[in-house]
């Protein structure tokens, strides 16, 4: 991963992680089929929702609150999805969250972006720990998390309610001295 602090971008072998732009809002809405795999996205998800979400990214980034990136093809600029890292400064840790549009599933983009964001967390932001979670009903997300080197730390049974039924949340984590840069 190569981080460009001035442009707030990361590049990997195939991907460019960059801040979202207003012009990405329609693409975000089009990829909204990921709603069922996410905890906090509203339904229906409108263009105004996407614009409001994007509007706060630079402010959150500059305030070291969270870092939200569009996951894009490095050469064409096609937006595949999003990846974010929260910053819990008090605890020197943060959470990775991501989504990839369904038409791009199974190509390794979430794994590649997640490894880049781990590099960013440990090398640039100097976190002690990074964690991630997923619905137990979405094991593919767990496979992505495991490929980054994170280890399962526990399952919170019936921890959240989504569409009138309860979901287990599976938690993973990794500390800096266990992480191997990829």
């Amino acid at each position: 991963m190569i981080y460009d602090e001035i442009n707030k971008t990361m590049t990997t072998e195939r991907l460019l992680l960059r801040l979202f732009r207003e012009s990405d809002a329609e693409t975000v809405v089009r990829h909204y089929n990921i709603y069922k795999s996410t905890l906090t996205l509203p339904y229906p998800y409108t263009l105004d929702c996407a614009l409001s979400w994007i509007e706060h990214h630079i402010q959150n980034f500059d305030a070291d609150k969270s870092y939200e990136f569009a996951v894009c093809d490095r050469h064409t600029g096609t937006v595949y999805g999003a990846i974010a890292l929260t910053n819990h400064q008090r605890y020197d840790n943060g959470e990775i969250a991501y989504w990839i549009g369904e038409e791009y599933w199974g190509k390794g983009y979430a794994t590649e972006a997640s490894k880049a964001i781990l590099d960013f967390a440990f090398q640039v932001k100097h976190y002690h720990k990074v964690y991630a979670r997923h619905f137990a009903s979405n094991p593919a997300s767990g496979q992505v998390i495991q490929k980054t080197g994170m280890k399962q730390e526990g399952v919170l049974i019936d921890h959240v309610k989504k569409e009138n039924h309860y979901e287990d949340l599976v938690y993973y984590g990794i500390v800096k001295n266990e992480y191997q840069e990829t």
Side-chain angles (χ1 to χ4, degrees):
M1 179 277 299
I2 299 170
Y3 176 62
D4 179 344
E5 186 172 0
I6 294 169
N7 294 311
K8 297 177 173 114
T9 62
M10 286 181 264
T11 53
T12 67
E13 182 181 340
R14 300 179 298 160
L15 302 176
L16 170 68
L17 307 184
R18 62 158 173 82
L19 296 178
F20 276 90
R21 305 174 187 131
E22 280 186 16
S23 60
D24 297 321
E26 288 183 20
T27 301
V28 171
V29 173
R30 187 170 23 108
H31 288 314
Y32 194 68
N33 56 0
I34 49 86
Y35 160 76
K36 293 197 182 292
S37 300
T38 62
L39 182 58
T40 59
L41 287 178
Y43 184 83
Y45 196 79
T46 65
L47 186 60
D48 285 341
C49 291
L51 288 168
S52 176
W53 176 64
I54 291 168
E55 174 185 345
H56 300 287
H57 289 180
I58 292 174
Q59 178 182 359
N60 290 340
F61 195 106
D62 291 342
D64 280 331
K65 182 178 176 183
S66 63
Y67 316 98
E68 301 181 71
F69 297 94
V71 177
C72 307
D73 183 279
R74 183 174 173 178
H75 301 290
T76 67
T78 301
V79 176
Y80 297 142
I83 190 158
L85 176 68
T86 59
N87 186 358
H88 303 289
Q89 294 175 11
R90 180 177 181 185
Y91 305 110
D92 293 330
N93 73 27
E95 179 181 7
I96 291 176
Y98 54 84
W99 59 264
I100 300 294
E102 189 172 356
E103 65 194 277
Y104 304 112
W105 290 358
K107 298 181 183 346
Y109 299 139
T111 302
E112 190 170 330
S114 294
K115 288 178 179 180
I117 210 86
L118 279 172
D119 289 347
F120 176 77
F122 291 130
Q123 296 172 11
V124 178
K125 294 301 176 180
H126 307 290
Y127 285 17
H128 172 70
K129 180 178 182 176
V130 176
Y131 64 96
R133 60 190 166 150
H134 70 89
F135 291 147
S137 61
N138 183 10
S141 192
Q143 291 172 348
V144 168
I145 295 166
Q146 291 171 32
K147 289 177 186 175
T148 68
M150 288 191 194
K151 304 291 184 230
Q152 184 175 325
E153 295 183 338
V155 178
L156 302 180
I157 306 298
D158 283 354
H159 194 67
V160 295
K161 192 173 184 179
K162 175 85 175 186
E163 295 185 329
N164 294 319
H165 73 277
Y166 293 96
E167 290 272 359
D168 298 350
L169 287 182
V170 185
Y171 275 79
Y172 293 79
I174 191 166
V175 293
K176 186 175 187 173
N177 66 356
E178 294 174 348
Y179 180 68
Q180 301 296 317
E181 179 185 348
T182 57

